[in-house]
Amino acid sequence: MIRTAGKALWIVIALLLIAAVGGLLAALLTLDGPGPKTGREVLELDLTRNYPEFVPEDPIAKAFGFDLLLLREVVETLERAAEDERVVSLVARVGSAPVGLATLQELRSAVRAFADSGKETVAWADTFGEWGPGNGAYFLAAGFDRVYLQPSGDVGLTGLLYESSFLRGTFDKLGLEPRMDRRHEYKSAMNELTETGYTPAHAEALQAVLDSQFSQIVRGIAEGRGLEEERVRELFERGPFLGAEAREAGLVDGLAYWDEVLAGLEERHGEDAELTPLEDYARRSRGRRRGRREVALIYGVGGVERGESGYDPFTGGVRMGSETVAQAFRDAVEDEAIEAILFRVSSPGGSYVASDTIWRETVRAREAGKPVVVSMGDVAGSGGYFVAMAADSIVAQPGTITGSIGVYGGKILSRGFWEKLGVTWDDVASGGRASMWSSLHDFTPEGWDRLQASLDRIYDDFTAKVASGRGLSGQEVRAAARGRIWTGEDAARLGLVDGLGGFPAALDEIRERIGAAEGEPLRLTPFPRPRSPLELLFERRSWIGSGPPPEGLRRALATAAALGRRLGLLEPAEAEGGPLAMPPIEPLR
């Protein structure tokens, strides 16, 4: 067995070496290499897929994920293409990728900047929603110069809907009793466990967010299609539209199949103009516009947890580990070549302690003279806002979900559930508060007082740091806090963020703070610094043979444990998301 395991280990190492060498050779051959044979190029962008914010360091992903573009890389590639006279057009397939409005706005702005260089942009979709809504996909497509729809497709303009599930009725049937509290009435992360429907405050906050996002979508479609906003609102009342109806209403420029769109591009730009996937162009052009002034790029993506950042192979989600992110800040501060820090945050929050650890490092970076600028993604709320609030400047998209300045906590009593199953429990204890966090025992009056003191401490600390970091008065913070979520557009009005935009706007802010010229290229250096697949493999030690079990197995066991926590069977339910967590926000459809 040992010999077999050792042989398997060397096979894995050999594969990683081959992949790494192959990727290096491919990079060397394509980096800033020759363009298309004809000198003219049409870029093809696939917007039916989700471009991730961040991919954690993982040996297999590093070895075989060479064609994976991050959202930031898509934006940067379009910026380079706008300046490349060989690139004459951009054509995109658009579909209902599961992303938030802020991501759609990031991509749309990048497309508009490309078009502003005088180059053609064309969007095509087989359908904007088949028996379903297509609001987000159409909003993105409307940012292109021309929009084409397959004749059999629809334009699913139907308006925005947010639906939430609530477990309280199920808990009542199972004999599970939530014992939780919050600061304050808008902090809705616990509502799915404690309520059977929206509370008035919960409904008020969600409705305001939906109204704000809907207005942004209406405004974007009106601008893109040359329509009055009132006209667009009327169209939403009439949707969804069949293909011919969409053309008649001015929502699309024509009905055509993909091959017909490509034929039209060929007719306009010549048969010898080459169609190039954006991924290929990105690899070839990556070395261009490399600036001399260096800026650290740190990602804070996923739920905030104590420990190291990581990746869940079952869900494809990532987690923001306080140790990893804090060390990245420290390394960036100590690196003399680094002039500023771009902190990209896309997180629904999580652990208060972990959030505070990261917050402290943003403060220390500023004290060391390294400006910190935050760029917010789809969601940067609760703990996701906590880690950002001390930055020199915060830039969010109008559709970013942020705020949620509040806290919740408690546990779910499970003794009634076990009694229904005929399971009995007994215990012994030392110490008067030993049962405080047990799911089998209710809080004592003294224990409940301790919970309240903890909630007060966290909320007071949170709001005080918001006031200090954003330069707001106590009254202004109280008006924006109480656990309420806001869109980036509303957050800017309240002073929670400083400006609206995406990566380019954040980099403009950094240029101003370090005294760089307008539009001067900056060199973005990821922190933690990327490591090779072999470095990752040997650092983590192989699980083949007598080592620890694979990460996938550990995460599977963790997922099973998480379900038990969610039902209140193993430990306090708040541990699942953390006291500074938000309820899940659905992608825009």
Side-chain angles (χ1 to χ4, degrees):
M1 276 301 284
I2 295 176
R3 186 174 301 169
T4 302
K7 188 179 295 184
L9 171 59
W10 285 111
I11 291 173
V12 171
I13 292 174
L15 287 172
L16 290 172
L17 276 170
I18 292 170
V21 172
L24 178 61
L25 288 174
L28 290 174
L29 289 171
T30 58
L31 184 60
D32 209 18
K37 298 173 183 177
T38 63
R40 288 194 305 282
E41 203 164 5
V42 175
L43 296 188
E44 179 185 358
L45 175 58
D46 184 3
L47 293 176
T48 65
R49 53 156 292 182
N50 178 23
Y51 293 95
E53 285 279 2
F54 170 65
V55 176
E57 289 195 318
D58 177 89
I60 303 302
K62 287 287 183 183
F64 298 103
F66 296 118
D67 62 341
L68 186 64
L69 285 185
L70 301 180
L71 177 63
R72 172 183 58 85
E73 293 174 318
V74 173
V75 174
E76 291 176 345
T77 302
L78 290 176
E79 287 178 345
R80 294 194 296 270
E83 299 176 355
D84 187 346
E85 56 188 31
R86 295 177 301 189
V87 176
V88 295
S89 181
L90 171 70
V91 60
R93 294 171 175 261
V94 183
S96 298
V99 298
L101 179 57
T103 294
L104 295 174
Q105 290 169 332
E106 188 89 48
L107 291 167
R108 179 183 162 116
S109 294
V111 170
R112 292 309 312 155
F114 178 90
D116 288 343
S117 68
K119 299 180 180 183
E120 174 191 50
T121 60
V122 178
W124 174 86
D126 54 1
T127 186
F128 295 104
E130 182 177 26
W131 300 104
N135 306 290
Y138 182 75
F139 166 80
L140 178 55
F144 287 73
D145 297 326
R146 294 191 184 91
V147 182
Y148 292 98
L149 176 67
Q150 187 166 297
S152 54
D154 301 328
V155 176
L157 293 187
T158 57
L160 304 184
L161 174 70
Y162 190 77
E163 298 174 317
S164 305
S165 61
F166 296 88
L167 297 175
R168 182 57 189 268
T170 303
F171 281 9
D172 289 344
K173 292 179 183 295
L174 294 176
L176 299 169
E177 183 181 354
R179 292 285 281 135
M180 313 180 80
D181 208 351
R182 61 184 157 205
R183 298 293 183 274
H184 281 282
E185 70 273 18
Y186 292 102
K187 190 65 180 177
S188 57
M190 59 180 267
N191 286 3
E192 67 168 315
L193 308 176
T194 61
E195 309 293 334
T196 58
Y198 293 130
T199 64
H202 192 175
E204 177 190 354
L206 277 182
Q207 188 66 59
V209 165
L210 280 182
D211 289 346
S212 177
Q213 290 192 328
F214 183 67
S215 294
Q216 293 171 38
I217 291 171
V218 168
R219 190 160 59 245
I221 293 174
E223 291 172 354
R225 300 303 300 168
L227 301 171
E228 295 293 330
E229 289 188 31
E230 190 58 39
R231 169 63 174 164
V232 176
R233 290 182 180 273
E234 291 174 1
L235 291 174
F236 268 101
E237 297 298 321
R238 292 169 44 197
F241 294 85
L242 307 181
E245 296 170 338
R247 182 178 56 185
E248 183 179 346
L251 295 173
V252 300
D253 296 287
L255 303 180
Y257 291 96
W258 176 243
D259 64 285
E260 294 174 315
V261 170
L262 295 182
L265 288 167
E266 183 178 294
E267 182 179 336
R268 289 191 295 277
H269 301 293
E271 295 182 3
D272 52 356
E274 296 186 19
L275 185 67
T276 304
L278 191 79
E279 287 79 4
D280 293 348
Y281 181 83
R283 283 196 294 270
R284 194 179 72 237
S285 64
R286 200 164 272 155
R288 301 178 196 162
R289 299 186 81 248
R290 189 167 176 80
R292 294 180 299 103
R293 310 188 73 165
E294 197 167 358
V295 173
L297 172 62
I298 299 176
Y299 280 99
V301 177
V304 189
E305 299 182 10
R306 301 194 308 277
E308 296 185 352
S309 299
Y311 169 71
D312 188 334
F314 290 93
T315 65
V318 298
R319 58 185 182 274
M320 187 196 319
S322 58
E323 289 183 15
T324 301
V325 177
Q327 187 61 53
F329 269 93
R330 288 192 288 268
D331 291 344
V333 168
E334 292 172 3
D335 191 325
E336 294 182 358
I338 297 298
E339 297 188 52
I341 297 171
L342 173 59
F343 188 23
R344 176 69 171 188
V345 178
S346 186
S347 169
S351 164
Y352 164 60
V353 173
S355 300
D356 195 43
T357 297
I358 297 171
W359 169 88
R360 175 60 182 167
E361 295 304 325
T362 66
V363 172
R364 294 184 68 239
R366 293 182 61 183
E367 291 173 347
K370 303 271 176 108
V372 178
V373 174
V374 166
S375 172
M376 289 182 167
D378 281 330
V379 178
S382 202
Y385 185 76
F386 198 111
V387 301
M389 62 188 175
D392 290 277
S393 182
I394 300 175
V395 178
Q397 289 287 1
T400 296
I401 305 299
T402 188
S404 193
I405 302 167
V407 57
Y408 80 102
K411 62 184 180 180
I412 297 177
L413 303 180
S414 61
R415 185 176 291 275
F417 171 78
W418 295 117
E419 288 176 352
K420 289 177 181 291
L421 297 180
V423 178
T424 59
W425 291 78
D426 205 349
D427 56 58
V428 294
S430 295
R433 305 277 172 81
S435 66
M436 179 170 175
W437 296 114
S438 168
S439 67
L440 300 173
H441 298 274
D442 201 348
F443 289 108
T444 63
E446 296 79 13
W448 186 254
D449 287 344
R450 287 287 79 201
L451 173 65
Q452 299 302 317
S454 178
L455 295 174
D456 286 336
R457 187 274 300 266
I458 294 173
Y459 186 74
D460 291 345
D461 183 50
F462 199 165
T463 52
K465 286 174 176 172
V466 171
S468 174
R470 309 317 311 149
L472 299 173
S473 67
Q475 181 178 356
E476 289 172 319
V477 172
R478 286 191 294 273
R482 307 189 71 81
R484 182 163 180 169
I485 60 174
W486 306 93
T487 61
E489 188 173 62
D490 289 335
R493 172 177 54 81
L494 296 166
L496 297 180
V497 305
D498 301 293
L500 299 178
F503 283 109
L507 291 173
D508 284 343
E509 182 69 23
I510 287 176
R511 290 186 185 95
E512 182 175 339
R513 291 185 177 275
I514 65 175
E518 183 179 352
E520 179 181 342
L522 299 173
R523 180 182 302 181
L524 289 180
T525 301
F527 279 77
R529 289 185 180 274
R531 288 162 291 178
S532 70
L534 283 179
E535 286 177 319
L536 289 170
L537 180 69
F538 286 114
E539 178 181 302
R540 299 184 180 185
R541 300 172 57 187
S542 172
W543 56 269
I544 300 174
S546 59
E551 177 69 10
L553 177 58
R554 292 200 299 272
R555 296 300 294 174
L557 295 175
T559 300
L563 179 60
R565 287 196 299 270
R566 204 61 173 162
L567 294 176
L569 305 181
L570 296 181
E571 54 185 83
E574 68 88 7
E576 172 70 8
L580 300 187
M582 290 176 52
I585 301 295
E586 293 181 349
L588 190 67
R589 298 290 189 183

